[in-house]
């Protein structure tokens, strides 16, 4: 018994003090996939939460961050330079986290596709092509999109060969009616689909890109309570205060119009982290979230689905692991702000 107690205390002594944990824990984890991040960072602030979460995840190698556009006249930013403003917000996050210059940041197009045949040669689209066509690595490439699909669609139109070289994870699209019921007061044209419907049609109807889709019924599952925000996010340094202020601004704005949003907020873009950085250790896959393989539908001009007898199989997620998603986010924020 005494020997067991001695061994126990020796093990305790070997555990590093928590205050130094930031300098050691992430160094033990090696990147095992390549990720290109594409999001509308001038819009709904859930994208900024996703960005911070990805930046704090050592199992991925971020090959580029793309700021993409919103739908014209969007309530979050009604200007004609929403991709430009998205890049500005990305750089602000990097500055607050003292990560300036560590990542390549690219601007996407400020406009949607003109048609379904013509690419927009933005820096963001060209960066996707360049990364997908690399021959000096065998690591798997994921392009993760939390907004419209303008950049990945343009990349495909510029170089169709990228279809065999990457997996697209997209937060967007309406419910598949054989899997879920639309929410009360739903719109037929789902938000991210409406940013660039032609781009969605290029990816679903024309390309054979491997798709992991997180449709509206699933990204709405990613709910963070306001109490969690105040306790686990706002308390974590300048970046935590910055993220919290973004949500507080929305609460204040909506209250002026007597629109009560309650005490939760949909962090709908954070599943992009769950499905990449937080895959299982062995037989790597997002094993704690669930999907069905479905034949890819045709997306019509209303943004809804029609049967496509020739469609390839795609993953359509129907349940995500919110415990892992949010607890990992809170823990990484705390570890980041404990660093010396």
């Amino acid at each position: 018994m005494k020997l067991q107690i001695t061994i126990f205390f020796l093990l305790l002594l070997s555990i590093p003090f928590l205050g130094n944990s930031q300098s050691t824990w992430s160094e033990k984890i090696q990147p095992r996939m390549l990720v290109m991040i594409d999001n509308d960072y001038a819009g709904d602030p859930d994208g900024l939460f996703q960005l911070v979460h990805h930046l704090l995840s050592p199992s991925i190698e971020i090959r580029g961050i793309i700021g993409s556009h919103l739908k014209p006249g969007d309530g979050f930013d009604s200007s004609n330079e929403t991709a430009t403003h998205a890049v500005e917000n990305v750089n602000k996050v990097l500055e607050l986290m003292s990560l300036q210059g560590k990542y390549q940041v690219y601007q996407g197009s400020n406009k949607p596709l003109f048609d379904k045949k013509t690419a927009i040669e933005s820096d963001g689209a060209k960066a996707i092509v360049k990364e997908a066509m690399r021959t000096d690595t065998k690591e798997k490439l994921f392009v993760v999109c939390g907004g419209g699909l303008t950049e990945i669609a343009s990349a495909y139109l510029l170089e169709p060969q990228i279809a065999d070289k990457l997996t697209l994870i997209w937060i967007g699209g309406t419910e598949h009616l054989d899997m879920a019921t639309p929410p009360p007061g739903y719109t037929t044209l789902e938000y991210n689909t409406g940013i660039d419907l032609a781009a969605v049609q290029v990816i679903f109807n024309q390309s054979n890109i491997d798709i992991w889709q997180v449709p509206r019924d699933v990204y709405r599952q990613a709910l963070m309570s306001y109490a969690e925000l105040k306790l686990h996010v706002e308390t974590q340094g300048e970046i935590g205060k910055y993220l919290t202020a973004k949500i507080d601004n929305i609460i204040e704005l909506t209250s002026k119009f007597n629109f009560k949003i309650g005490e939760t907020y949909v962090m709908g873009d954070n599943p992009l982290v769950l499905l990449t950085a937080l895959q299982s250790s062995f037989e790597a896959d997002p094993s704690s979230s669930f999907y069905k393989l479905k034949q890819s539908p045709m997306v019509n001009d209303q943004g809804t689905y029609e049967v496509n007898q020739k469609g390839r199989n795609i993953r359509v997620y129907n349940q995500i692991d919110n415990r892992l998603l949010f607890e990992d986010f809170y823990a990484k924020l705390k570890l980041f702000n404990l660093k010396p």
Side-chain angles (χ1 to χ4, degrees):
M1 186 67 176
K2 289 183 179 180
L3 178 60
Q4 292 174 342
I5 293 173
T6 301
I7 292 172
F8 174 76
F9 279 106
L10 286 173
L11 287 171
L12 281 179
L13 289 172
S14 70
I15 297 174
F17 178 62
L18 185 60
N20 295 324
S21 59
Q22 172 65 19
S23 62
T24 59
W25 80 274
S26 61
E27 293 173 359
K28 296 179 180 179
I29 302 173
Q30 299 298 314
R32 60 176 180 173
M33 66 183 69
L34 308 176
V35 175
M36 291 286 293
I37 300 171
D38 176 9
N39 214 333
D40 51 1
Y41 293 113
D44 191 330
D46 65 334
L48 297 171
F49 282 73
Q50 165 268 314
L51 176 60
V52 171
H53 199 175
H54 259 136
L55 291 169
L56 295 175
S57 299
S59 66
I60 64 169
E61 180 181 341
I62 298 174
R63 297 295 300 174
I65 304 169
I66 301 168
S68 55
H69 69 89
L70 296 166
K71 188 176 181 179
D74 190 281
F76 285 105
D77 184 344
S78 59
S79 75
N80 295 321
E81 298 183 324
T82 55
T84 305
H85 296 161
V87 168
E88 292 172 358
N89 285 344
V90 170
N91 287 328
K92 179 63 177 179
V93 166
L94 295 175
E95 177 188 343
L96 289 171
M97 299 178 73
S98 299
L99 296 174
Q100 307 98 310
K102 187 173 181 180
Y103 300 97
Q104 291 291 324
V105 180
Y106 303 97
Q107 182 177 312
S109 167
N110 273 311
K111 297 180 180 180
L113 293 183
F114 301 108
D115 56 52
K116 288 171 276 190
K117 296 181 179 179
T118 309
I120 300 176
E121 296 190 41
S122 68
D123 289 344
K126 290 186 287 187
I128 293 173
V129 172
K130 182 179 178 181
E131 186 61 33
M133 298 303 292
R134 287 174 61 191
T135 58
D136 61 337
T137 181
K138 294 183 180 179
E139 296 290 351
K140 190 168 185 178
L141 174 63
F142 288 90
V143 176
V144 300
C145 296
L149 295 181
T150 305
E151 305 312 314
I152 183 66
S154 288
Y156 171 75
L157 292 170
L158 288 170
E159 180 48 83
Q161 290 186 60
I162 70 168
D164 300 322
K165 302 178 184 298
L166 61 85
T167 296
L168 167 67
I169 306 180
W170 182 45
I171 306 292
T174 61
E175 298 74 16
H176 293 260
L177 295 182
D178 60 331
M179 296 174 63
T181 302
Y186 73 96
T187 56
T188 301
L189 187 63
E190 183 270 334
Y191 184 88
N192 285 345
T193 305
I195 292 174
D196 192 340
L197 176 57
V200 175
Q201 292 174 315
V202 168
I203 295 301
F204 276 79
N205 303 355
Q206 298 174 205
S207 85
N208 62 333
I209 288 175
D210 184 27
I211 300 173
W212 295 4
Q213 184 188 12
V214 182
R216 178 170 57 192
D217 58 294
V218 182
Y219 69 68
R220 281 169 43 84
Q221 295 174 19
L223 291 174
M224 179 186 292
S225 77
Y226 190 68
E228 290 177 301
L229 179 74
K230 300 296 283 187
L231 183 62
H232 297 305
V233 180
E234 187 175 42
T235 57
Q236 299 307 314
E238 292 303 312
I239 190 61
K241 293 175 183 175
Y242 173 80
L243 293 175
T244 303
K246 291 290 184 179
I247 305 301
D248 281 338
N249 289 341
I250 292 174
I251 294 174
E252 291 172 10
L253 179 63
T254 54
S255 66
K256 291 179 181 179
F257 296 93
N258 199 32
F259 184 83
K260 302 173 183 179
I261 66 171
E263 57 181 280
T264 65
Y265 200 83
V266 178
M267 297 300 172
D269 289 343
N270 278 62
L272 296 175
V273 184
L274 179 68
L275 301 183
T276 52
L278 300 180
Q279 292 188 14
S280 53
S281 50
F282 300 102
E283 296 89 31
D285 202 48
S287 59
S288 61
S289 297
F290 303 103
Y291 67 89
K292 289 186 178 180
L293 283 177
K294 288 183 62 68
Q295 193 170 46
S296 177
M298 293 285 288
V299 178
N300 61 30
D301 290 340
Q302 288 71 49
T304 57
Y305 308 129
E306 297 178 0
V307 174
N308 179 9
Q309 299 293 352
K310 297 181 179 180
R312 79 282 196 195
N313 282 340
I314 65 172
R315 287 190 185 193
V316 178
Y317 277 85
N318 55 20
Q319 185 175 338
I320 54 174
D321 184 352
N322 275 337
R323 185 214 63 81
L324 176 60
L325 174 62
F326 287 115
E327 289 192 19
D328 181 74
F329 178 59
Y330 302 145
K332 282 174 176 169
L333 270 180
K334 187 171 184 178
L335 286 167
F336 178 75
N337 283 287
L338 282 172
K339 67 182 181 180

